[in-house]
């Protein structure tokens, strides 16, 4: 199976990885057909879980390989990682300020350029914005395959990234579709919008893989860039929203969700790579 996958073009591998993460988002969004509301403690744990997975994936699957590759290329590893992380954060900050979106919080605060779009559309844009760095991370991870000495290990590491992000996308899909249902949308529309929020992941996965292969010397920067974008989303959006949802039931729900997510992604990465 692995030998067959190695023979595929990296853009196709990235596309398959992106489809996996999108598919699990759709599966999570389908929970709206069974539940109309979601317990705040459960939502807080879901958001914390997603945060833990993204932070662990950033560390083991992106930052550490970026540092190792930079050292192999004779670059100053800590400087390469720092530049990539910072650029990834700036990239998401710019998107935050340009793309109109609304946060899934009690106050429904809005960001981005002023627009007359409905609140529902703004909520969808918010989670779609979160999914861009996840798609890039999957694409960059698969883009490494064929550019390193151990192709089997690189492929298994990329698969671990796709599975980890897919796992955290399952509760994230529910965290999108169910609140949309509470906003007054039908179950069908809530599901369609919920799963559509992750359709950017296969697209940006392919983009990430193609960019890595066309600019191989920038691979360490690309890995760190994807990590920086993911960390920005976690610190700027997911953790604050998880903490807000946990109140007044207790922030320990989101904290333990974070720990579970971090551990699962760590185990996946170590076991598969």
């Amino acid at each position: 199976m692995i030998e067959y996958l190695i023979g595929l073009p990296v853009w196709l591998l990235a596309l398959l990885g992106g489809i996996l993460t999108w598919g699990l988002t759709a599966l999570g969004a389908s929970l709206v057909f069974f539940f109309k509301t979601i317990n705040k403690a459960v939502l807080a744990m879901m958001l914390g879980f997603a945060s833990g997975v993204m932070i662990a994936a950033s560390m083991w699957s992106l930052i550490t390989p970026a540092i190792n590759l930079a050292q192999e290329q004779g670059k100053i590893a800590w400087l390469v990682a720092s530049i990539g992380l910072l650029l990834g954060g700036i990239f998401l900050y710019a998107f935050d300020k340009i793309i109109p979106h609304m946060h899934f919080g009690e106050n429904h605060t809005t960001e981005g350029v002023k627009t007359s779009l409905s609140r529902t559309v703004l909520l969808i844009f918010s989670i779609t914005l979160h999914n861009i760095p996840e798609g890039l991370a999957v694409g960059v991870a698969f883009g490494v395959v064929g550019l390193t000495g151990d192709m089997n290990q690189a492929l298994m590491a990329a698969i671990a990234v796709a599975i980890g992000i897919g796992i955290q996308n399952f509760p994230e899909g529910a965290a999108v579709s169910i609140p949309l249902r509470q906003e007054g949308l039908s179950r069908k529309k809530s599901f369609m919008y919920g799963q559509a929020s992750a359709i950017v992941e296969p697209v940006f996965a392919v983009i990430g893989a193609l960019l890595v292969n066309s600019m191989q010397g920038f691979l360490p920067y690309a890995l760190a860039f994807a990590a920086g974008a993911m960390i920005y989303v976690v610190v700027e959006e997911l953790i604050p929203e998880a903490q807000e949802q946990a109140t007044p039931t207790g922030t320990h729900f989101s904290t333990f969700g974070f720990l579970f997510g971090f551990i699962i992604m760590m185990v996946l990465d170590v076991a598969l790579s």
Side-chain angles (χ1 to χ4, degrees):
M1 179 64 176
I2 296 298
E3 289 75 15
Y4 173 75
L5 291 175
I6 287 179
L8 297 177
V10 291
W11 69 265
L12 182 55
L13 290 172
L15 178 61
L16 293 174
I19 290 174
L20 171 66
T21 59
W22 163 77
L24 287 170
T25 303
L27 192 61
S30 69
L31 293 179
V32 75
F33 293 110
F34 307 98
F35 306 98
K36 185 176 180 179
T37 60
I38 184 169
N39 184 277
K40 284 196 171 188
V42 174
L43 181 56
M45 185 170 287
M46 285 180 172
L47 292 170
F49 180 87
S51 302
V53 169
M54 291 176 71
I55 291 295
S58 297
M59 184 63 218
W60 270 278
S61 302
L62 297 172
I63 297 175
T64 298
I67 291 173
N68 292 337
L69 284 169
Q71 290 174 335
E72 291 175 8
Q73 294 176 1
K75 297 182 173 71
I76 303 174
W78 62 265
L79 182 60
V80 169
S82 299
I83 292 173
L85 283 165
L86 186 59
L87 290 176
I90 292 173
F91 173 78
L92 256 292
Y93 174 80
F95 265 56
D96 239 359
K97 297 304 177 185
I98 296 172
I99 298 178
H101 61 284
M102 180 179 289
H103 297 281
F104 280 89
E106 294 292 334
N107 299 322
H108 289 302
T109 55
T110 59
E111 282 189 290
V113 297
K114 291 185 178 181
T115 179
S116 58
L117 293 172
S118 68
R119 187 163 74 170
T120 298
V121 173
L122 293 177
L123 288 171
I124 296 167
F125 277 6
S126 177
I127 201 65
T128 300
L129 188 63
H130 294 177
N131 288 326
I132 290 175
E134 295 174 14
L136 284 173
V138 171
V140 170
F142 278 105
V144 175
V145 179
L147 302 181
T148 58
D150 193 336
M151 294 177 66
N152 282 340
Q153 184 176 0
L155 179 57
M156 293 303 293
I159 291 173
V161 173
I163 292 175
I165 290 177
I167 289 173
Q168 68 94 21
N169 274 1
F170 177 82
E172 194 172 79
V176 177
S177 63
I178 294 177
L180 288 176
R181 172 65 175 152
Q182 293 173 322
E183 289 288 319
L185 273 70
S186 67
R187 283 187 169 89
K188 185 177 180 180
K189 282 189 175 181
S190 298
F191 167 75
M192 292 303 296
Y193 286 140
Q195 61 83 28
S197 66
I199 202 67
V200 295
E201 293 197 13
V203 175
F204 276 87
V206 172
I207 291 173
L210 292 176
L211 286 175
V212 164
N213 269 262
S214 63
M215 299 182 293
Q216 297 181 17
F218 289 94
L219 179 54
Y221 294 96
L223 288 165
F225 177 92
M230 289 178 66
I231 292 171
Y232 180 92
V233 168
V234 170
V235 178
E236 176 77 6
E237 308 279 359
L238 295 183
I239 290 179
E241 288 175 16
Q243 294 286 298
E244 181 180 331
Q245 292 294 334
T247 307
T249 54
T251 57
H252 56 276
F253 287 107
S254 59
T255 302
F256 277 105
F258 181 95
L259 288 173
F260 290 144
F262 190 96
I263 290 169
I264 287 175
M265 186 64 228
M266 177 186 68
V267 171
L268 276 173
D269 194 273
V270 173
L272 292 180
S273 61

